[in-house]
């Protein structure tokens, strides 16, 4: 799904704790990385957070809780965003 932050269009996907293959592809993983539950931009660790998704960013690791949106920024950077902040900041772009 695509969303718009006024006036910048970004890509985002809601983390629901499943659909790992789809999320791994969104995070830029190839098939081998997906099968190992880690890639250049993420890894899965259920001991750190429910749902287990940890996003690697320039600022360090960010825990993505179930229900958070994972945003791909304008320079390809990835970061989680709480649903209430996401809804207040972005609106869906019709394809």
């Amino acid at each position: 799904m695509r969303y718009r932050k006024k006036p910048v269009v970004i890509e985002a996907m809601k983390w629901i704790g499943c659909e790992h293959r789809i999320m791994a592809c969104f995070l830029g993983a190839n098939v081998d990385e997906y099968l190992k539950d880690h890639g250049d931009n993420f890894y899965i660790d259920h001991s750190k957070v429910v749902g287990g998704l940890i996003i690697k960013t320039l600022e360090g690791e960010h825990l993505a809780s179930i229900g958070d949106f994972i945003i791909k920024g304008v320079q390809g950077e990835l970061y989680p965003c709480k649903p209430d902040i996401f809804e207040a900041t972005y609106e869906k772009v019709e394809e």
Side-chain angles (χ1 to χ4, degrees):
M1 294 167 78
R2 294 176 55 151
Y3 293 85
R4 176 176 40 221
K5 180 177 181 180
K6 304 155 192 131
V8 177
V9 176
I10 53 96
E11 292 181 61
M13 185 174 174
K14 190 170 191 174
W15 174 238
I16 58 173
C18 59
E19 298 178 350
H20 291 194
R21 182 179 207 108
I22 296 168
M23 181 58 75
C25 289
F26 179 76
L27 295 171
N30 63 37
V31 174
D32 292 335
E33 291 171 332
Y34 162 71
L35 294 174
K36 293 184 234 172
D37 279 339
H38 71 275
D40 292 338
N41 301 317
F42 77 101
Y43 65 95
I44 302 292
D45 185 344
H46 295 284
S47 68
K48 289 188 176 183
V49 63
V50 175
L53 183 60
I54 293 81
I55 305 293
K56 299 176 188 177
T57 73
L58 294 175
E59 294 83 27
E61 296 180 348
H62 290 262
L63 306 179
S65 301
I66 291 176
D68 286 355
F69 283 85
I70 311 306
I71 296 173
K72 189 179 294 183
V74 295
Q75 296 180 354
E77 71 279 14
L78 298 161
Y79 52 94
C81 183
K82 294 296 178 197
D84 57 336
I85 303 296
F86 186 86
E87 296 295 335
T89 307
Y90 298 94
E91 60 186 21
K92 191 170 184 178
V93 173
E94 296 302 322
E95 298 289 329

